[in-house]
Amino acid sequence: MTGYLYQCELALLELARRSWQDPTAEIRMELLDDIELLDPDKTPRELLQSKHREAAGPLSETGKDFWRSVGSWIDALKKLSEPSGAAMPILRLVSTQTAPRDTFFHYVGAGPDRDEAKALQRMEQVASDEKGPDTTAKDRRLFMRLTPARRQELVSAITVNDGAPLMSDLDPSLAKELGITPSDHAQAALEEIKGWWYGVAVKLLERKNPQHMRASVSAQELMCRRDEVTGRYTGKHLPITETLRNLTEAEIAGYSDRLVVAQMRWIGLPDSEVAMHLRDYHLARAQRSEWLRTFKITPERLDEYEGELHYEWETAFRRRTRRIPDDTGEEERQAIGQEILDATMDRVADTPLRPGTVTAPWVGKGSTHGLSDQADTAQPDRQLGWHPDYQNRCKHPDETQEQ
């Protein structure tokens, strides 16, 4: 069990390490190998075998950890070369055990003593030894069935990273690679990121349910999640790149057929107020899009934020509609709708997108108008409007006449 958990956390560590040099790097798990590091075109750049042994003694040249990895790599390379003739990826074995000197492990290490010719010669000797253990015989024979040129190519691609941290010692390495500096909240932040990561790992490992699976995860997404988590503890605000301004007549006209405008017309707002609210809506859309594009925030956090905005609206809406008599006239219903709108705007203006920070008021206001623009198609927990009868009007827009 520890080995499986180690594989998940090692994948997190590998992705964090690459985030500083290549934010487009991606990882997937258990498809061709334990962990796969991908190029932007989804071609595997590295195939990584994860081996955790709490009794961290020396690696054995006849041991299962290495030769089963070799067998796995040979099978994976066949799958890679069949459809596309892809280039040989790096083949890495990450082990908590150590590589003794004068073994082929030592000669395929990442250090200055790397000698692929010596490693190949020694691996062929071990693989062809009939006195070797039965537990690795199948994989050793598989290696020797390769052509000499292919064996040399395979060995040239192998790198053994020995002496890796044990599961219980991974946290300091994870914190360092994630850029989490020592503080009172460092451990809490790390645990929160790891909790998110295990949820991602489940989706990466899911194969049967397309709704719950995902193909890979990028370093950009990881860094965005890190910034979200650490930002809550440090009070780091999201950057505002949009300039607050009035919309042009052409920009306002571009929204004339949208539900966001219809919702405001249903409560009798004059053009000047419609334009004011559309300004918030327009700027919030642009700012949120920029934050997503530049990985300042995740779609998951935006969804949570919209849930918080919906809660604020629901509080204002229910307080003002729970005792409306059936015979209430349209003029009074519009006035109630305007009260709902004003109260909601006051409440959402102070709702921060990143907890513990301050968000520009127009982001919350505009995002709430964004929800009103989707009231006819959104799930019930994201539907909102201003008119007391907005739900019926959304269902029958053709029957609705401007008052």
Side-chain angles (χ1 to χ4, degrees):
M1 183 65 182
T2 304
Y4 287 117
L5 296 175
Y6 186 74
Q7 176 183 338
C8 287
E9 294 203 15
L10 183 62
L12 173 59
L13 179 62
E14 292 289 333
L15 190 60
R17 280 175 175 162
R18 279 155 185 77
S19 65
W20 301 102
Q21 289 82 31
D22 183 8
T24 65
E26 296 188 32
I27 267 185
R28 66 186 179 197
M29 290 196 292
E30 292 291 350
L31 195 62
L32 291 173
D33 213 339
D34 292 349
I35 300 168
E36 298 167 52
L37 293 152
L38 309 177
D39 283 325
D41 64 356
K42 309 300 182 183
T43 301
R45 180 189 311 173
E46 294 186 29
L47 302 182
L48 191 154
Q49 284 276 319
S50 164
K51 302 299 179 183
H52 184 273
R53 297 288 178 264
E54 292 191 14
L59 283 162
S60 169
E61 288 188 309
T62 58
K64 293 185 293 184
D65 280 359
F66 179 75
W67 286 106
R68 287 187 178 176
S69 295
V70 170
S72 176
W73 288 330
I74 292 173
D75 289 341
L77 292 173
K78 286 179 181 177
K79 295 175 183 177
L80 278 177
S81 62
E82 285 169 2
S84 63
M88 176 77 77
I90 297 170
L91 309 174
R92 288 176 58 210
L93 173 67
V94 177
S95 175
T96 55
Q97 294 184 293
T98 57
R101 293 189 67 84
D102 299 325
T103 62
F104 57 69
F105 298 116
H106 184 71
Y107 295 129
V108 289
D113 294 336
R114 184 177 178 88
D115 188 328
E116 294 165 8
K118 288 184 178 180
L120 174 60
Q121 182 182 22
R122 181 59 185 161
M123 280 180 62
E124 289 174 337
Q125 290 176 353
V126 173
S128 59
D129 187 355
E130 296 181 358
K131 296 181 181 179
D134 293 338
T135 53
T136 61
K138 177 182 176 181
D139 295 313
R140 288 185 287 113
R141 285 196 298 269
L142 192 62
F143 175 71
M144 291 306 297
R145 289 194 193 109
L146 298 175
T147 65
R150 189 61 169 170
R151 289 200 296 269
Q152 182 177 4
E153 187 180 11
L154 182 76
V155 172
S156 296
I158 293 174
T159 296
V160 173
N161 297 140
D162 67 323
L166 292 169
M167 178 72 175
S168 56
D169 298 326
L170 270 182
D171 277 4
S173 297
L174 280 170
K176 177 182 177 182
E177 297 299 339
L178 287 167
I180 299 176
T181 56
S183 69
D184 293 340
H185 305 295
Q187 190 61 37
L190 180 60
E191 292 299 332
E192 191 169 341
I193 293 171
K194 286 168 63 175
W196 164 79
W197 179 257
Y198 273 107
V200 170
V202 169
K203 294 179 181 179
L204 289 173
L205 296 170
E206 176 64 64
R207 294 288 182 265
K208 295 182 179 179
N209 190 339
Q211 292 182 333
H212 296 130
M213 65 181 291
R214 62 182 298 170
S216 61
V217 59
S218 72
Q220 289 173 318
E221 185 176 353
L222 171 59
M223 292 299 99
C224 183
R225 176 62 64 165
R226 179 206 62 186
D227 290 344
E228 283 183 354
V229 171
T230 57
R232 288 203 297 274
Y233 292 109
T234 62
K236 183 180 179 181
H237 306 313
L238 286 164
I240 296 295
T241 56
E242 290 296 312
T243 301
L244 193 59
R245 61 178 180 83
N246 292 325
L247 301 188
T248 65
E249 291 184 5
E251 287 173 325
I252 293 172
Y255 292 113
S256 60
D257 295 331
R258 298 287 289 269
L259 182 57
V260 63
V261 173
Q263 292 254 33
M264 290 186 274
R265 296 298 188 195
W266 292 342
I267 61 173
L269 288 191
D271 289 348
S272 58
E273 289 193 41
V274 171
M276 177 187 70
H277 289 295
L278 279 179
R279 176 191 62 191
D280 293 340
Y281 174 53
H282 180 90
L283 294 176
R285 288 182 66 198
Q287 187 63 76
R288 286 164 46 129
S289 178
E290 172 67 11
W291 283 333
L292 286 170
R293 186 184 66 81
T294 57
F295 293 90
K296 295 296 188 300
I297 200 160
T298 60
E300 292 83 1
R301 176 52 201 157
L302 277 179
D303 183 65
E304 293 171 0
Y305 179 60
E306 290 180 347
E308 294 162 9
L309 298 177
H310 187 276
Y311 170 82
E312 299 297 344
W313 162 84
E314 187 174 28
T315 301
F317 185 84
R318 296 199 181 282
R319 284 180 178 175
R320 289 161 178 80
T321 59
R322 64 180 182 269
R323 295 191 184 93
I324 298 179
D326 292 340
D327 60 353
T328 301
E330 177 59 23
E331 185 175 346
E332 187 174 349
R333 288 177 182 272
Q334 287 186 359
I336 293 171
Q338 292 183 22
E339 290 180 14
I340 293 168
L341 173 60
D342 291 342
T344 301
M345 292 297 104
D346 288 342
R347 297 177 69 94
V348 301
D350 296 327
T351 302
L353 211 166
R354 179 179 285 166
T357 65
V358 175
T359 302
W362 50 265
V363 174
K365 294 177 181 180
S367 296
T368 306
H369 282 300
L371 293 176
S372 78
D373 196 39
Q374 304 169 35
D376 56 341
T377 58
Q379 295 296 318
D381 64 348
R382 292 296 185 272
Q383 293 174 0
L384 61 79
W386 318 122
H387 195 283
D389 305 320
Y390 83 92
Q391 287 181 308
N392 185 57
R393 290 180 176 231
C394 286
K395 292 177 183 177
H396 308 286
D398 295 336
E399 300 176 10
T400 301
Q401 296 181 355
E402 292 186 9
Q403 300 298 319

